[in-house]
Amino acid sequence: MAESRLIGSYPVIGIRPTIDGRRGALDVRGSLEEQTMNMAHSAAKLFRDNLKYSNGEAVKVVIADSTIGRVGESAACADKFRKEGVDITLTVTPCWCYGSETMDMDPNTIKAVWGFNGTERPGAVYLASVLATHAQKGLPAFGIYGHDVQNADETEIPSDVKEKLLRFGRAAVAAASMRGKSYLQIGSICMGIGGSIIDSDFIESYLGMRVESVDEVEIIRRMTEGIYDKEEFEKALKWAKETCKIGFDKNPEELQASPEKKEEQFAFVVKMAVIIKELMNGNRKLPEKFSEEAIGHNAIAAGFQGQRQWTDFYPNADFAEAVLNTSFDWNGAREPYILATENDILNGLGMLFMKLLTNRAQIFADVRTYWSPEAVKNATGYELEGIAKEAGGFIHLINSGAACLDACAEAKDENGNGVMKEWWNVTEEDQKAIMAATTWNPADNGYFRGGGYSSRFATRAEMPVTMIRLNLVKGLGPMLQIAEGWTLHLPEEVSDKLWKRTDYTWPCTWFAPRCNGKDGAFKTAYDVMNNWGANHGAISYGHIGADLITMCSMLRIPVAMHNVPEEKIFRPSAWNAFGMDKEGQDYRACAAYGPLYK
């Protein structure tokens, strides 16, 4: 649907139809050719119809030129897949096959095997055998086996198999899409925040990405020397002036900038957005004398340090962060960028994981305050009900204007519910509604001495969301936390009273995690916040925790503290050899296999 902003092709899924290689008088192989290839084509269609790359195009799927019965055909398939750029393989079969001869032996592909549940031939026997061989050789693969026995001539994929195939496909495409791309840090460590201390080895070894760094002064150099697309800037500024509503100035009158200064700062922050886009992905329209700058850093994600070296003197980056993270700008609907506030690399990478899984804009926020039912009643007189009551309170998600604007939930589905859409489904009507619900308030001069503008809105809808945090722990390495829940639409007077207790000029989202009311980190919303691993969270539309768990197992990142139903957890079959409890399995398996790109 849209040209890729990045250098490097998208990952391709390769389907490997394996078969019993025996010929002889009864021609066992010949009797299975049609059924085996039908499985391959059915899986390919499922992927093509349901999975998209981040630019909106359908995922590319290729199928081996023949069924694979012996090692020569495995080699031919591998050769084709190398030429086609296959990063992900799905082996399918309805029957017994020779496991070590027919399996995918490429150590760099992400693998799954679907064994048909039928009684005519032992597809399940092959599945168990080849998964054991994968485990024995240190090549983890996901096993897919339907719950109910099917007839040999059935071509419809059962719903439980579809769910696993699509979960595997989504997660694998997301994981492989990061390979060879960059994280660009603009600046460095922000206010001593651990998440903004970049760990190149983690990014290279676990994600297959590289780290690029530029100083924040590069933005001033490009502004001063005119190294940016002037036509693009004029278009962006015109759009911003026409669509961005300027909000109230909370600063004392004596500290408020003059109207002329505010206008100058507004143009400055718009220009920052244009330049950061070009830093991330380049711009071929730049004049020839700027051919070096035109290349960009091939950044699939970035972060801006801001505080305090920048914001004590220059206008803040809230406009650039908010607009780039959003699913549209002055050019209309387009793939959201990932630009982390305060250069919190770990939160930015969490946002990237979820954007690649959902193709939706992401929210960056402080996990700022837990509100108990008693505290809410004392502050407002309001008694919690519904989801907030069930969770024993809620959490205030708020940061300085950098959350994607989609989070206001003014985009509506066919039933009029507030949602955050895949970017290609965001209409002009949605864009107008989102901009109408957002104001741009002069920055809090206590935090941002250099001025600037912060986006301001409230999330006024009950939406399913997933909040995550990627952490690095010395002696352990990376780990991920997941909290599925819902945004809340509190009564306006209640929301305002609570919102005014903190910064009333920043975007405001109330979040109630799904809690069990019994024990552990998900007893109540308080326990979720009390066990959260950092000051920030990345938040995505939808309950996508199961997809994240699958993706993290591919990347060898263990998951702890999650509220995903156990029956939805889908990891490589080798994980079952690492103990009986799911969380312990994950930690031990990830430690044993180590980083994917080590």
Side-chain angles (χ1 to χ4, degrees):
M1 290 179 64
E3 182 180 353
S4 173
R5 297 191 292 247
L6 298 161
I7 299 163
S9 57
Y10 289 104
V12 177
I13 299 176
I15 310 289
R16 308 177 69 258
T18 58
I19 199 166
D20 191 328
R22 288 173 283 203
R23 292 286 191 181
L26 295 179
D27 192 12
V28 173
R29 178 172 185 158
S31 69
L32 292 163
E33 286 282 352
E34 183 178 0
Q35 184 183 5
T36 305
M37 289 305 291
N38 280 343
M39 283 184 70
H41 286 289
S42 295
K45 184 177 188 307
L46 182 73
F47 287 146
R48 291 180 185 126
D49 289 350
N50 291 278
L51 302 181
K52 294 184 185 297
Y53 298 124
S54 61
N55 75 335
E57 292 178 2
V59 164
K60 181 180 177 182
V61 184
V62 297
I63 301 175
D65 291 335
S66 71
T67 54
I68 301 166
R70 302 305 301 259
V71 72
E73 290 153 334
S74 291
C77 173
D79 184 59
K80 175 180 180 175
F81 283 5
R82 274 192 296 272
K83 293 172 184 175
E84 293 281 0
V86 168
D87 295 291
I88 303 151
T89 65
L90 172 69
T91 298
V92 302
T93 190
C95 59
W96 170 255
C97 315
Y98 298 166
S100 63
E101 291 192 31
T102 60
M103 65 187 286
D104 173 13
M105 289 286 288
D106 186 337
N108 296 316
T109 57
I110 302 170
K111 306 168 181 62
V113 184
W114 171 27
F116 185 78
N117 186 0
T119 57
E120 289 81 3
R121 299 285 180 175
V125 178
Y126 168 73
L127 177 64
S129 173
V130 81
L131 289 175
T133 309
H134 274 284
Q136 188 171 339
K137 294 179 179 294
L139 300 170
F142 291 80
I144 301 170
Y145 179 59
H147 184 271
D148 298 321
V149 172
Q150 291 183 266
N151 296 323
D153 59 355
E154 286 188 53
T155 56
E156 178 66 24
I157 302 175
S159 59
D160 62 324
V161 173
K162 281 183 181 178
E163 182 178 358
K164 287 186 175 180
L165 286 172
L166 291 176
R167 179 154 294 135
F168 168 77
R170 270 193 305 272
V173 168
S177 291
M178 294 184 283
R179 188 182 300 172
K181 311 305 188 298
S182 304
Y183 181 93
L184 172 65
Q185 64 167 355
I186 305 170
S188 184
I189 301 169
C190 175
M191 300 188 298
I193 295 172
S196 65
I197 302 172
I198 203 157
D199 186 326
S200 298
D201 182 60
F202 161 65
I203 292 173
E204 292 163 7
S205 299
Y206 281 85
L207 309 181
M209 293 169 57
R210 68 170 70 213
V211 172
E212 291 284 287
S213 300
V214 298
D215 197 281
E216 291 170 309
V217 76
E218 175 64 8
I219 291 175
I220 299 302
R221 183 182 80 89
R222 293 190 180 210
M223 286 185 177
T224 304
E225 298 187 4
I227 309 173
Y228 58 89
D229 187 330
K230 310 245 182 351
E231 184 179 333
E232 180 83 353
F233 167 62
E234 292 301 329
K235 183 178 182 180
L237 185 60
K238 182 176 184 292
W239 172 84
K241 286 182 174 180
E242 290 174 353
T243 63
C244 294
K245 299 191 301 183
I246 304 302
F248 61 85
D249 190 336
K250 64 172 285 188
N251 298 294
E253 280 193 39
E254 66 274 13
L255 294 180
Q256 293 181 11
S258 67
E260 294 76 19
K261 186 68 173 176
K262 287 179 178 178
E263 188 168 344
E264 177 187 317
Q265 290 187 355
F266 192 71
F268 184 99
V269 299
V270 173
K271 192 175 292 184
M272 280 181 70
V274 171
I275 290 173
I276 289 172
K277 281 175 68 173
E278 292 176 351
L279 279 167
M280 290 180 71
N281 302 130
N283 187 344
R284 288 171 291 182
K285 293 181 180 178
L286 292 181
E288 177 61 30
K289 63 180 178 178
F290 302 133
S291 58
E292 181 182 354
E293 290 85 352
I295 297 171
H297 290 270
N298 199 35
I300 197 170
F304 185 80
Q305 176 190 338
Q307 299 183 68
R308 286 181 50 201
Q309 287 85 335
W310 178 272
T311 55
D312 278 2
F313 189 62
Y314 292 114
N316 64 18
D318 285 5
F319 178 90
E321 291 167 354
V323 171
L324 294 186
N325 283 329
T326 296
S327 57
F328 62 90
D329 61 15
W330 47 91
N331 291 314
R334 52 100 178 104
E335 180 182 345
Y337 291 78
I338 296 296
L339 182 59
T341 303
E342 296 162 351
N343 191 36
D344 186 340
I345 295 111
L346 297 178
N347 218 52
L349 291 172
M351 293 166 70
L352 176 62
F353 290 178
M354 296 194 291
K355 175 206 155 179
L356 293 172
L357 285 170
T358 67
N359 294 314
R360 302 174 200 258
Q362 300 296 308
I363 305 170
F364 183 115
D366 276 356
V367 184
R368 180 161 287 225
T369 309
Y370 162 71
W371 280 96
S372 68
E374 297 77 16
V376 172
K377 187 171 183 178
N378 288 338
T380 68
Y382 175 70
E383 291 202 21
L384 296 186
E385 54 188 41
I387 292 169
K389 182 178 180 180
E390 292 170 10
F394 54 82
I395 296 170
H396 197 182
L397 304 177
I398 187 169
N399 206 323
S400 59
C404 64
L405 304 185
D406 305 66
C408 70
E410 290 301 319
K412 306 297 182 184
D413 65 14
E414 62 277 6
N415 298 314
N417 299 312
V419 294
M420 295 170 64
K421 298 179 178 180
E422 295 99 338
W423 69 264
W424 55 80
N425 289 324
V426 176
T427 65
E428 288 187 19
E429 184 181 355
D430 292 330
Q431 295 169 41
K432 289 176 182 176
I434 289 168
M435 295 306 290
T438 305
T439 60
W440 297 89
N441 294 59
D444 180 332
N445 287 337
Y447 286 106
F448 307 116
R449 298 178 194 174
Y453 287 86
S454 295
S455 60
R456 178 186 183 276
F457 59 80
T459 304
R460 292 187 171 92
E462 187 178 290
M463 300 188 295
V465 294
T466 301
M467 181 170 76
I468 69 171
R469 176 65 193 186
L470 178 64
N471 298 300
L472 289 178
V473 181
K474 190 173 179 66
L476 170 66
M479 58 81 64
L480 193 83
Q481 297 173 307
I482 303 171
E484 293 184 340
W486 295 267
T487 62
L488 303 175
H489 186 188
L490 297 177
E492 296 300 315
E493 64 277 9
V494 175
S495 180
D496 270 6
K497 282 183 181 179
L498 301 183
W499 191 358
K500 286 174 180 175
R501 297 280 288 256
T502 182
D503 200 304
Y504 199 48
T505 66
W506 294 350
C508 167
T509 301
W510 310 106
F511 170 65
R514 185 175 61 243
C515 296
N516 60 33
K518 297 176 183 177
D519 50 37
F522 288 92
K523 181 179 180 181
T524 67
Y526 168 80
D527 298 284
V528 172
M529 181 155 181
N530 202 34
N531 285 276
W532 204 244
N535 53 309
H536 291 149
I539 301 96
S540 178
Y541 181 87
H543 289 160
I544 60 168
D547 286 354
L548 283 158
I549 287 173
T550 296
M551 178 184 177
C552 282
S553 68
M554 295 170 179
L555 299 172
R556 315 296 187 251
I557 297 173
V559 177
M561 189 189 152
H562 70 80
N563 58 350
V564 177
E566 185 166 318
E567 64 270 16
K568 296 291 185 182
I569 295 175
F570 185 42
R571 294 183 173 119
S573 64
W575 264 234
N576 295 323
F578 289 88
M580 292 181 66
D581 63 299
K582 294 290 186 183
E583 188 173 290
Q585 286 177 352
D586 194 26
Y587 271 80
R588 289 184 281 272
C590 287
Y593 288 112
L596 191 58
Y597 305 103
K598 62 182 182 291

